């Protein structure tokens, strides 16, 4: 930066990110970012500290790295992409983060708006004419809490603070900001650009409930005969996991997770009842929905008319679901961890001997049910499958035996998700993560973001072959290698999209597709060497088709991982 000129808006942009406490800019830069690139170089020359730039060869990895980081820290980071093209590539990740209530600030440069060289940063390239859509925000508008276009550099810090406050406020989620090239190149005197501190402009978070509501919820549990809970994303906060387990074991509550994006209760707790809430619906007299979007599938599971349902959620109304359809008697928008602690305090104060006796009886029943369920799962894991068709249950049990409680599993197994959930026992909060949206190809980028946030933990990505294709894997392993973020990828190769086949069968069980065994879902070819994609970027790679070789193959991959290299294990589980 010349000493005769004031700093550019890009300089204040970097200062603004520092004010927000942003640690990383997951990025894929373009011609729209020239002033930011210049400001970064200038800061580096001066030795000034700024958010670390993490270059990702594809936006799918950039956005999902931010998702993984936010999933285990709760802190949204910056993602920088190139005009409309980069925004389009990041849109699927924005869908996933929006449905997962994960904060992120996606920022896209805009093609210059001046054509004849009137301003610094004016159009000087062919692409500046073709990358100027009428409405760039429409690419992600359905998946954001807030969107804005930076109108002038003088408001840079105020705009950044506003976006950050919205994305971090409950329920958290993505925001989108566009940055015109000429605006980033403007110059401003330091006194013209004000700061906006968190203490006066910061995020607002959900809290507990009033005493009357807490007492009414406690009264339900004090009088319940067969209480149950259904949850999915309560585990986004570690303290909520502990609070749920404490209350469940205090009151003898069956806890079900349905399509979980986090571990919500330790699998070792006798109160954990599995992943099928229909098991508890028939008897439940008191039911709680806690941080859950879809507690069951109404087509297949029906709650009983006599059950009294209460819903405590950071997002109870589900305003971003055009249709929802789950009836409850009490609806409270609040922080689950806080509410559960409030209720536990009241229960402890009011519980009598009769209550404790009822709970003791229920806990005995829950332990027996747990033992039966676990025994069945262990039995399923004993069948290894055959050469070319390794059993997913057997494989996942071997993975579960090889990793530590604090290691993190990122589950994108889709068709085989229950093998992952049931056979890889997790006990610690944030040790099992999955996507909440419908966009496949998230787990590679999320695994990298989690590894960045938790360098002391192994991160194991389990993904189907279809999802692996979607994940832009060359970008995943290039980024892993460059930034020293080793992850262990297990590809469950069944030759295509088994979920597509099963969807057709559910709707047309006797149809032509079943008769011809053609579901337009096979991805098979003469050669499929997913492990070689990782090897191209320095990862250890191996393909295993014999069940007898599974434990040793896992051990070799973990050895490479512990030595600082990513590992890709391509597992043949049988062609669909």
């Amino acid at each position: 930066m010349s000493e005769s000129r004031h700093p550019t808006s890009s300089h204040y942009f970097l200062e603004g990110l520092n004010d927000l406490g942003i640690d990383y800019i997951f990025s894929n830069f373009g011609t729209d970012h020239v002033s930011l690139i210049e400001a970064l170089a200038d800061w580096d020359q001066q030795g000034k500290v700024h958010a670390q730039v993490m270059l990702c060869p594809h936006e799918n990895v950039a956005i999902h790295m931010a998702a993984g980081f936010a999933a285990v820290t709760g802190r949204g980071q910056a993602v920088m992409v190139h005009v409309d093209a980069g925004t389009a590539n990041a849109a699927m990740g924005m869908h996933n983060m929006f449905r997962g209530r994960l904060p992120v600030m996606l920022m896209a440069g805009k093609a210059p708006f001046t054509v004849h060289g009137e301003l610094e940063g004016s159009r000087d390239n062919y692409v500046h004419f073709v990358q100027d859509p009428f409405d760039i925000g429409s690419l992600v508008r359905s998946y954001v809490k807030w969107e804005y276009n930076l109108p002038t550099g003088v408001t840079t810090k105020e705009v950044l603070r506003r976006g950050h406050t919205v994305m971090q406020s409950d329920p958290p989620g993505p925001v989108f900001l566009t940055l015109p090239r000429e605006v980033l190149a403007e110059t401003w005197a330091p006194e013209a650009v004000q700061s906006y501190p968190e203490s006066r402009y910061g995020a607002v978070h959900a809290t507990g409930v009033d005493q009357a509501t807490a007492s009414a919820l406690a009264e339900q549990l004090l009088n319940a005969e067969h209480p149950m809970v259904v949850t999915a994303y309560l585990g986004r906060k570690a303290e909520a996991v502990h609070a749920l387990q404490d209350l469940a074991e205090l009151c003898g509550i069956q806890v079900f997770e349905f399509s979980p994006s986090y571990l919500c209760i330790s699998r070792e707790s006798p109160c954990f009842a599995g992943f099928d809430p229909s098991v508890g619906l028939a008897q439940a007299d008191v039911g709680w929905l806690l941080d859950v979007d879809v507690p069951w599938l109404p087509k297949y599971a029906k709650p009983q008319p006599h059950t009294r349902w209460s819903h405590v959620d950071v997002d109870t109304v589900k305003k971003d679901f055009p249709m929802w359809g789950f009836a409850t008697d009490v609806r409270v928008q609040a922080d689950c961890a806080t509410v559960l602690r409030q209720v536990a305090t009241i229960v402890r104060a009011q519980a009598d001997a009769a209550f404790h006796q009822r709970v003791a009886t229920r806990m005995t029943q829950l332990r027996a049910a747990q033992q039966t369920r676990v025994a069945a799962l262990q039995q399923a894991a004993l069948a290894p499958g055959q050469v070319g068709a390794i059993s997913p249950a057997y494989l996942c049990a071997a993975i579960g035996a090889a990793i530590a409680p604090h290691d993190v599993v990122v589950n994108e197994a889709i068709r085989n998700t229950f093998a992952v959930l049931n056979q890889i026992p997790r006990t610690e909060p944030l040790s099992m993560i999955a996507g909440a949206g419908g966009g496949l190809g998230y787990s590679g980028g999320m695994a990298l973001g989690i590894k960045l946030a938790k360098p002391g933990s192994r991160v194991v990505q389990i993904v189907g072959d279809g999802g692996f294709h979607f994940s832009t894997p060359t970008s995943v392993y290039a980024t892993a290698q460059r930034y020293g973020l080793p992850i262990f990828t297990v590809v469950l190769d069944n030759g295509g999209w088994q979920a597509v086949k099963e969807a057709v069968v559910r709707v047309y069980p006797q149809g032509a597709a079943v008769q011809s065994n053609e579901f337009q879902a096979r991805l098979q070819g003469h050669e499929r060497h997913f492990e070689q994609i990782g090897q191209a970027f320095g990862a250890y790679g191996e393909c295993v088709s014999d069940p007898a070789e599974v434990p040793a193959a896992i051990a070799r991959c973990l050895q490479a991982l512990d030595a600082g290299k990513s590992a890709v294990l391509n597992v043949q589980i049988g062609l669909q």
Side-chain angles (χ1 to χ4, degrees):
M1 181 184 69
S2 170
E3 293 189 8
S4 63
R5 297 183 60 193
H6 290 308
T8 65
S9 303
S10 296
H11 167 87
Y12 299 113
F13 178 89
L14 296 179
E15 286 190 342
L17 292 183
N18 281 352
D19 290 346
L20 302 179
I22 297 293
D23 294 321
Y24 298 102
I25 308 171
F26 302 104
S27 55
N28 192 297
F29 288 120
T31 60
D32 40 328
H33 300 121
V34 292
S35 297
L36 281 172
I37 294 168
E38 179 66 15
L40 285 164
D42 183 59
W43 276 45
D44 287 341
Q45 284 185 354
Q46 297 181 57
K48 299 178 68 174
V49 176
H50 57 74
Q52 182 180 348
V53 174
M54 308 286 287
L55 292 176
C56 303
H58 196 282
E59 294 85 352
N60 182 60
V61 172
I63 193 72
H64 285 116
M65 282 189 75
F69 190 92
V72 295
T73 67
R75 297 173 49 237
Q77 300 298 302
V79 175
M80 186 71 67
V81 298
H82 176 47
V83 293
D84 57 341
T87 303
N89 276 346
M92 188 265 284
M94 290 289 276
H95 157 84
N96 285 337
M97 295 191 74
F98 185 65
R99 289 305 183 202
R101 295 172 186 82
L102 295 172
V104 67
M105 185 177 290
L106 176 67
M107 294 175 282
K110 288 191 73 176
F113 52 80
T114 54
V115 178
H116 304 291
E118 302 96 321
L119 295 173
E120 188 82 10
S122 185
R123 295 185 183 186
D124 59 10
N125 191 301
Y126 164 80
V127 296
H128 294 157
F129 289 85
V130 300
Q131 292 177 333
D132 187 20
F134 287 110
D135 187 4
I136 186 175
S138 66
L139 293 168
V140 293
R141 186 165 298 132
S142 293
Y143 313 131
V144 299
K145 296 176 65 181
W146 174 91
E147 64 168 302
Y148 198 64
N149 178 63
L150 183 65
T152 169
V154 77
T155 61
T156 297
K157 294 184 180 182
E158 184 175 13
V159 169
L160 287 173
R161 172 59 69 186
R162 176 60 180 163
H164 186 269
T165 292
V166 173
M167 80 172 183
Q168 290 291 158
S169 292
D170 282 331
V175 297
F176 182 54
L177 175 64
T178 50
L179 306 169
R181 194 163 97 145
E182 293 93 333
V183 172
L184 291 175
E186 292 170 356
T187 58
W188 296 94
E191 60 271 18
V193 183
Q194 301 299 308
S195 292
Y196 294 81
E198 181 180 14
S199 61
R200 303 197 69 189
Y201 297 89
V204 175
H205 300 292
T207 57
V209 294
D210 60 84
Q211 186 66 22
T213 300
S215 295
L217 291 171
E219 187 69 18
Q220 291 181 20
L221 297 180
L222 286 164
N223 295 320
E225 295 293 336
H226 299 286
M228 69 176 286
V229 159
V230 187
T231 184
Y233 59 90
L234 173 146
R236 68 194 181 92
K237 291 186 173 182
E239 60 267 31
V241 176
H242 300 306
L244 175 57
Q245 185 160 332
D246 174 61
L247 184 65
E249 294 178 3
L250 173 66
C251 298
I253 306 171
Q254 271 191 311
V255 178
F256 297 90
E257 295 180 3
F258 188 71
S259 195
S261 45
Y262 298 88
L263 175 139
C264 298
I265 187 170
S266 169
R267 303 296 181 250
E268 293 181 351
S269 172
C271 292
F272 174 64
F275 305 98
D276 182 8
S278 66
V279 172
L281 289 179
Q283 279 193 305
D285 59 337
V286 170
W288 285 10
L289 307 182
L290 302 177
D291 279 350
V292 60
D293 284 329
V294 181
W296 52 78
L297 298 179
K299 182 176 180 178
Y300 304 109
K302 306 291 184 184
Q304 298 301 307
H306 69 270
T307 309
R308 180 173 176 79
W309 287 97
S310 298
H311 188 185
V312 182
D313 203 311
V314 73
D315 181 16
T316 314
V317 176
K318 313 297 180 189
K319 68 179 180 62
D320 298 305
F321 287 61
M323 295 294 291
W324 196 59
F326 296 92
T328 53
D329 302 290
V330 177
R331 290 167 297 283
V332 177
Q333 188 149 327
D335 175 66
C336 276
T338 305
V339 173
L340 295 176
R341 287 194 295 262
Q342 287 179 280
V343 172
T345 298
I346 296 170
V347 169
R348 284 190 167 92
Q350 297 185 7
D352 56 17
F355 168 80
H356 288 301
Q357 182 57 52
R358 291 196 305 274
V359 169
T361 300
R362 283 201 297 268
M363 291 296 287
T364 298
Q365 296 168 344
L366 291 176
R367 289 189 182 92
Q370 181 193 50
Q371 290 170 359
T372 300
R373 186 172 55 82
V374 170
L377 295 174
Q378 291 173 341
Q379 186 65 32
L382 294 177
Q386 58 191 19
V387 174
I390 295 170
S391 160
Y394 167 78
L395 168 73
C396 289
I399 294 170
I403 63 176
H406 65 274
D407 294 335
V408 182
V409 175
V410 185
N411 181 10
E412 195 179 6
I414 309 303
R415 168 64 181 81
N416 293 292
T417 193
F418 288 109
V420 176
L421 292 173
N422 284 316
Q423 300 294 345
I424 305 180
R426 302 281 81 197
T427 58
E428 297 189 8
L430 302 172
S431 63
M432 176 73 78
I433 306 288
L440 296 185
Y442 62 81
S443 57
M446 284 194 75
L448 293 176
I450 292 168
K451 184 64 178 178
L452 183 65
K454 302 184 71 172
S457 296
R458 292 165 168 167
V459 181
V460 183
Q461 171 202 7
I462 304 180
V463 60
D465 57 310
F468 188 79
H469 279 293
F470 286 131
S471 70
T472 57
T474 57
S475 180
V476 169
Y477 301 110
T479 305
Q481 178 178 239
R482 175 169 183 172
Y483 295 106
L485 299 171
I487 60 173
F488 176 22
T489 300
V490 180
V491 183
L492 306 179
D493 183 7
N494 63 5
W497 295 305
Q498 183 76 9
V500 174
K501 174 182 176 179
E502 292 185 353
V504 176
V505 172
R506 285 196 301 272
V507 180
Y508 300 105
Q510 307 299 326
V514 171
Q515 294 171 19
S516 63
N517 193 32
E518 181 51 72
F519 301 94
Q520 305 301 329
R522 294 189 180 95
L523 299 174
Q524 299 150 18
H526 293 300
E527 294 191 38
R528 289 158 58 82
H529 298 291
F530 296 120
E531 71 280 3
Q532 293 182 6
I533 298 175
Q535 289 172 340
F537 295 93
Y540 175 79
E542 185 171 344
C543 179
V544 60
S545 60
D546 187 340
E549 297 176 358
V550 163
I554 292 171
R556 287 189 290 270
C557 288
L558 291 176
Q559 183 178 18
L561 194 70
D562 293 340
K565 295 177 65 173
S566 290
V568 181
L569 183 61
N570 180 11
V571 185
Q572 305 301 298
I573 62 171
L575 299 180
Q576 61 167 314

